Structures are given as C-alpha cells and as structure tokens.
Amino acid sequence: MNHLDFRSDTITHPTEEMREAAANAKVGDDVFGDDPTVNELEQIAAEKMGKEAALFVTSGTQGNLVSVLGHTNPGNEVILEADSHIYHYEVGGISAIAGAIPKLIQTEDGNITPEMLENALRPSNIHFPDTSLLCLENTHNRHGGIALSPHSIAEVARAAHDHGLSVHLDGARIFNAAIYHNVNVKEYAKEVDTIQFCLSKGLSAPVGSLVAGTRDFIEKARKIRKRLGGGMRQAGIIAAPGIIALTKMVDRLKEDHDNARKLAEILKGHGYKIIEPQTNILVVYTDGKFENSDEAVDFFKSKGILCVPFGPNRIRFTTHRMISADDIKRVDELLS
Ligand SMILES: *Cc1c(COP(=O)(O)O)cnc(C)c1O
C-alpha cells in the first residue's frame, strides 16, 4: 500500500534540479576552504540571515552542538525551554560533549518570557555554575510547530544579553516561523548571537544545516566542527542542493502550512482534539480515542497514514513537499 507519510518533513527527497546541481557542482577540499560551492552556500546563508558569516554543518544537531561549544566552557549552565529539541532529541550532546549543565524553563507555548528568564538566573555565588547561554527554538517542535514572533524573541534575547548571556536560536524551521509572521528571517537573526537552520527538512535538500553568526564566532565554530569530525572535503556535492533549497524552496513552505490546517479540519471532523497548527506540524491528542500514542500510530498506519508518537498521549503529523492538497483530501476518505 502506498502510505501517506506524515512522519516528518525530513523524508522529503531532493528535487530533480537538486540532483542535477549535485552532479554538476564545482568542488574542492572544503577543509582547505577550496570548495567554491560550499563557500557560495555559506555566503548566501549569511546574507539571508543578515549575519557576517555562516558555516555549513552536517545536521541541525551538529549545528546546535557547535554553537553551544562555541558559547560555553565546560561546567557552564545553559538555559533551555523544557520541551526543546536540544534537550530532548540531541542525545545529551551539550552535556556529554560540551560539558554543559542544562537548566530548563517550563512554558505553556514554547515562549520564554524575560520574567521567566530572570527567575531562572542565579545570583553570583562561589557554589554555582556560571550561566553563559540561553537557547531558544523557533518554530517550536514539541509545542506543535508554534511560531514565536520576532518581538518575543527580541524581548527575551535582550534580557539575556543584559545579564551577560549569549543567545543561540535553534531555528531548524526558522523560515516556517518567518512565513507565519510574514517577516524576513533577519528579524529573528538580528536579535540572537547565532542561529542554526536546516536545509534538509521542508526545504528538501538531502543533507545539511547552517550556523550563522559573527565572523569571529564562525571561525571558532569551523575549528569546533573539525574537532567533532565534521570537516568535509568535496562537500560542494551536498552544498549545491542546499543552494537551491535556500534560494528556491522557501516560498513554497506556505503550502505545507495550508495543508496542515486542512488536515487539522479533517481530523477535527473525525472527532480528534488537536493543537491548532500555525506551521507544518500538527499535534493530535489521543485520549478518549486510544490507550496510548503507539496504539494511535498503529491505527493510522492500518488506514495507510503514517505519523509518529509524540509523548504518551499525543501523535504528530508533519506536512511537507511530498504531500499534496489531494493527499490531504484522501485522509478524509481513508478515515471514513
Ligand atoms: C530537526 C531539528 C533539529 C535537528 O536537526 P537534525 O538535522 O535532525 O539533526 C534541531 N532542532 C529542531 C527544532 C528540529 O526540529
């Protein structure tokens, strides 16, 4: 059976144009700085973010880890939202590799306010770890793809800076947030010291993320990436599809948002409780319908619809380029 695959926007295949670009890419040894295609991608990324420089990394996880390593010393405390991707889904890297201790702030909607941040800060005391970094996330994955506004990001980032903290934004899906709020991504990037974003999700590139920041920070991050084993050689082969992702695939993310809203309406019609989607992630509650999220995932699978468990009583659907508006209509038929 040909399943409708809503597990993640990471399942998107590269377009034909991306495959051609990969095949024809001009390459060199990027560890020597010689790969013209990687250099071009990093320059385009820096310009799009309004930052001085950018670094091509293997994944979002590596981008976040490189950033945390660049902003902290071992034993430092890092402040994170309690449901953040860095805390939940990155294999404990900030502790295992950066030696950082996480401090979590619980929120209703993924939005850390300046007041919450101030309550989480420690007074200066010989016993305490130094708190050096605030990490933010936008769109917020575990809070249902919610898109924080530039104003929210600015307020808390300014408060963090006032207290001497650096600010890193995990913007894996920052273009989705910018589309929802109808702003340029620079409005987010300008408030934070570093931003990480993924090419390999809704933007459909096969591999890679970028970290953008000051020239000095990116120089340091390049060396950290090498230490982590992320120095790549003829990486132009994978950077070339990334250039297409960044220059041609951003505007169509809006279709994914429209499809998520349509899917939400259909599932509500079938009696499901949902978190209203803002972007391309739709979280559906399973209570009252199923024992747990695994049972719900199995049920949908038996109908030809793939989704993922998202905690004990929630499942997640993600819309993306390989799901069309017609596919969304089919969901209604498959569930009827
Ligand atoms: C996917 C994701 C990442 C990590 O990206 P990978 O490329 O899968 O390592 C980081 N943060 C958020 C919010 C994500 O959704």
Side-chain angles (χ1 to χ4, degrees), residues 59-61 64 85 90 137 141 170 172-173 196 198 201:
S59 65
T61 300
N64 287 334
H85 194 281
E90 301 188 8
E137 180 173 323
N141 192 331
D170 175 1
R173 296 184 183 82
Q196 179 280 121
C198 294
K201 294 187 168 168

Side-chain angles (χ1 to χ4, degrees), residues 54 75-76 94 110 112 117 132 137 152 219-220 245 258 320 322 329 334:
N76 281 179
I94 65 162
I112 299 174
L117 174 72
S132 52
E137 180 173 323
S152 304
E219 203 176 307
K220 184 176 176 188
D258 294 343
H320 52 77
M322 293 171 75
K329 283 185 205 143
L334 291 167

Side-chain angles (χ1 to χ4, degrees), residues 89 142 292-295 297 307-312 314-316:
Y89 296 126
R142 276 173 69 94
N292 55 50
S293 52
D294 287 336
E295 197 181 281
V297 168
C307 57
V308 292
F310 213 49
R314 310 190 312 174
I315 53 178
R316 187 192 70 187

Side-chain angles (χ1 to χ4, degrees), residues 227-239:
R227 174 179 281 164
L228 296 176
M232 296 178 281
R233 304 298 178 175
Q234 285 73 38
I237 300 282
I238 53 173

Side-chain angles (χ1 to χ4, degrees), residues 26 45 92-93 135 142-143 146 180 191 246 251 290 335:
K26 288 201 178 71
C135 292
R142 276 173 69 94
H143 281 287
I146 204 163
Y180 179 78
E191 299 297 339
L246 210 42
D251 292 343
F290 304 96
L335 291 178

Side-chain angles (χ1 to χ4, degrees), residues 157-183:
R158 286 171 197 174
H161 286 143
D162 286 346
H163 289 281
L165 276 65
S166 300
V167 182
H168 171 68
L169 175 55
D170 175 1
R173 296 184 183 82
I174 195 63
F175 291 104
N176 296 81
I179 285 171
Y180 179 78
H181 284 287
N182 197 21
V183 294

Side-chain angles (χ1 to χ4, degrees), residues 18 26-27 48 52 56 76 101 121-122 125-126 137 140 170 201 210 229 235 238 273 288 312:
M18 288 180 180
K26 288 201 178 71
V27 297
K48 287 240 177 224
E52 286 174 8
F56 186 41
N76 281 179
I101 169 169
L121 291 172
R122 301 163 182 276
N125 181 298
I126 192 169
E137 180 173 323
H140 200 297
D170 175 1
K201 294 187 168 168
L210 287 124
I238 53 173
K273 268 190 300 174

Side-chain angles (χ1 to χ4, degrees), residues 206-258:
V207 189
S209 291
L210 287 124
V211 177
T214 62
R215 209 176 309 284
D216 283 350
F217 187 94
I218 294 303
E219 203 176 307
K220 184 176 176 188
R222 196 175 290 282
K223 200 155 176 174
I224 295 169
R225 182 191 66 175
K226 185 79 178 98
R227 174 179 281 164
L228 296 176
M232 296 178 281
R233 304 298 178 175
Q234 285 73 38
I237 300 282
I238 53 173
I243 291 172
I244 293 168
L246 210 42
T247 54
K248 298 192 174 172
M249 302 299 280
V250 171
D251 292 343
R252 63 147 299 286
L253 293 173
K254 194 178 171 305
E255 292 165 29
D256 301 343
H257 299 187
D258 294 343

